[in-house]
Amino acid sequence: MEYKLTYSKYKEALMSGKFCGLKCNKCGGYTVPPKKVCMECSSEDMDVVELSARGEIKTYTVIRVPPEGFDAPYIVSMVELDEGPWVMGNIVDLDPDKASMELIGKRVSIGHKAVKGDKFSAGDGVALAFKLEG
Amino acid sequence: MREVAVVGVGMTQFGMSEKTQIEMFSEAAMDAITESNIEPRDIQALFLGNGLGDFEEGQMNLAPMCAADIGMPNVPATRFEGACASATVAMRNACLWVASGFYDIVLTGGTEKAMAMGTPMATRTFAMGSDSRYEGFAGITFPGAFGMAAHLYSKKYGIPLQKLKEQMAMVAVKNHKNGVLNPKAQFRKEITVEKVLSGVVIADPLQLLDCCPFSDGAAALVFASVDKAKELTKKPIYIAGVGQGSAGPLYTQKDFTRIRARESAVKQSYMQAGVGPKDIDLCELHDCFTIAEILATEGLGFFEFGKGSQAVEEGKTSLNGEIPINPSGGLKAKGHPIGATGAAQAYEIVKQLREECGERQVKGAKIGMIDTLGGDLATVCNMIFRR
Ligand SMILES: [Zn+2]
C-alpha cells in the first residue's frame, strides 16, 4: 500500500497552515508525525486528518551550542498534543533566556517555521513552532 | 549456542590523535591479537564499529581497509553503525557469530576520529542520530535531548532542578576522579562540583562539564569459542549475556526518563547470563552526559527509578561504592570516540576481571557489565562478562 502521509505531503500541508497527522480506523489512535502504520495497533488503515494544533509542554531545553547552520540560542521543546502523541518543535515567542521549569505544563498552539536545508538534508524542511497560549 | 570468550584486548590512548582511524584501529587490534597468542591469519572475520568516518576523513567502507592494514585482507570485514553504540552492536554480532558455530576466532572493536570535525560540524553530524525529518529541522542536538531528559526527570520525581544539577555534577566529579587513575584517559584531572556548576551552558540545564568530550581513539577485542579460548589464554573472560534493544525517534518514546531500548536490551542480557543487577560487581555505562549516567543506573536495575541521582550523592557508584560505575573514567573523562566507545568499555571490564587495573582496580570483581547507548536513545546494547 502506498505511503499515506509522506514527509513531502506533511510539509506541504504544514506550510499552508494545516498540521496533519494520521487517525487509525481500527483503534482510533493518532500517529503524529506520520508513520507507515498506526503507532498503537500497527494497522495500515489510517486517514490523514487535520489536528487541533494544540498541546501541552512536557519538557524543553535551550540550545546554546548549535549544529552548523543554526543560530543559537533557541528553545527546543516536546509537546504532548491534545490527540495524544508527543512532537518536537521550537518555542518561538519567548526569549530563550527567560525559559525555565515554569514552562512545563503550559499550553501552546502549534504553527510552523520554514527551515533552510543544508548539503546533508535533501532539501529544505519545516519545524513545528510552538506559541504560548494566553 | 556455544559459549564465547574474550582472549585479547587492545586500546589506544583516547584524546586528540594525529593518526587515522585505520592506524588507530590497527594499533589496538595488533595489541589484542598479540595478547591472544595468534596471528592475523588465524582470524576469520572483522566486526568493526564506526559512527561518522565518512564525515571525519571522507572514508566509507572502512572495515576492509582496517582488515587489510593488519594483514587479513580477504576475510569478511563489516562496519556496524548504531551511532554511539556502534562498537557494542558490532561486538554483539561478533559474539553471536562465534556462538552460532560459524566462526571460531573473530576480531571486533571500533575506531573514530571525531575531533577532526570541529565542534559545529561534529554537533551537526552527531545530530544526524535524531529523526532528520521530524526533529532535525528544530535544531535538536545530543546535549539538547539529554537536557530535555534532565528537565523531565526533575519534574517527574519532584527534585528541584538546582538539587538535581548538583547531583549530576557529582557524576562528573566521580568520573574525573576515576579518570585520573586511567593512563589512557583523555582527561586526567580532578574537578569539583563548583567547577561543573560554573561552566558555560551547552543545552539547558547541561553545562560544559556535564558533557563528554569529542574524542579520537580505537579499541579492539579478539573473541573465540570457549574451546579455542582455553588453548590460547590462561585468563579467558567469558561473555555471559548480550542484549540489544531499539526505540523509534525521541518523540515516539514520550517520557524518556525511562529508556525503553535499554530496558528491552538488559532483560535479554540478564536472562542469558542468569544473573540480576545485584550480581553485577561493576559497570561501564553510557555517561555521554551526567544525567545519562543517572538514567542508565536506573534502567539497568541498580537503583529504583527516580533514585539514581540520590545514589550518586550517597557515593554508591564510586570506585569503592556498592556498584562502582565507570571505573575507567567513563565517556566523561576517558573520552568518547563514538564508534570505539563500547569496545573501550569492554576493554576496561576485561582488564578489571583479569585484575590488571592497578589503582582503579575494583577488588574481587567477578561479573562486569557494559551498556552503550546510540542515537536519541534509539539503540541500546549491553553485555555481561564473567571470569
Ligand atoms: Zn490503530
Side-chain angles (χ1 to χ4, degrees), chain B residues 260-272:
Chain B
R260 310 294 164 169
R262 172 172 288 124
E263 290 175 36
S264 157
V266 79
K267 206 169 143 189
Q268 301 161 36
S269 293
Y270 284 142
M271 191 179 293
Q272 191 187 343

Side-chain angles (χ1 to χ4, degrees), chain B residues 207-379:
Chain B
Q207 293 173 259
L208 183 65
L209 293 172
D210 285 300
C211 308
C212 70
F214 296 116
S215 315
D216 303 339
L221 301 94
V222 176
F223 290 175
S225 63
V226 161
D227 288 347
K228 271 271 182 267
K230 284 178 177 159
E231 290 171 24
L232 297 173
T233 175
K234 287 197 180 80
K235 284 185 178 177
I237 299 297
Y238 301 93
I239 300 173
V242 296
Q244 182 178 338
S246 302
L250 197 60
Y251 56 81
T252 64
Q253 301 178 36
K254 297 197 171 181
D255 171 11
F256 47 92
T257 58
R258 293 279 300 267
I259 297 173
R260 310 294 164 169
R262 172 172 288 124
E263 290 175 36
S264 157
V266 79
K267 206 169 143 189
Q268 301 161 36
S269 293
Y270 284 142
M271 191 179 293
Q272 191 187 343
V275 301
K278 293 267 178 294
D279 301 307
I280 305 295
D281 296 316
L282 78 165
C283 182
E284 285 281 314
L285 56 71
H286 206 81
D287 60 323
C288 49
F289 302 98
T290 49
I291 185 69
E293 173 162 322
I294 292 167
L295 299 182
T297 58
E298 297 173 1
L300 297 174
F302 300 134
F303 308 110
E304 277 174 50
F305 290 102
K307 301 286 186 209
S309 67
Q310 190 187 322
V312 178
E313 189 171 5
E314 291 168 355
K316 290 181 176 168
T317 57
S318 304
L319 205 48
N320 55 2
E322 68 183 52
I323 170 76
I325 301 291
N326 289 324
S328 72
L331 283 55
K332 177 70 205 74
K334 181 180 57 189
H336 182 30
I338 55 173
T341 281
Q345 292 175 317
Y347 172 94
E348 175 73 11
I349 294 296
V350 167
K351 288 278 197 185
Q352 287 278 356
L353 296 180
R354 289 185 193 157
E355 303 206 0
E356 294 172 355
C357 283
E359 284 183 280
R360 66 179 194 285
Q361 180 64 45
V362 176
K363 288 191 185 67
K366 290 189 173 57
I367 301 180
M369 182 175 202
I370 69 162
D371 169 86
T372 330
L373 176 148
D376 270 6
L377 331 181
T379 298

Side-chain angles (χ1 to χ4, degrees), chain B residues 100-123:
Chain B
S100 76
F102 197 89
Y103 296 127
D104 291 323
I105 304 180
V106 300
L107 178 65
T108 183
T111 187
E112 200 76 48
K113 198 172 169 61
M115 296 182 94
M117 293 188 286
T119 297
M121 174 71 166
T123 304

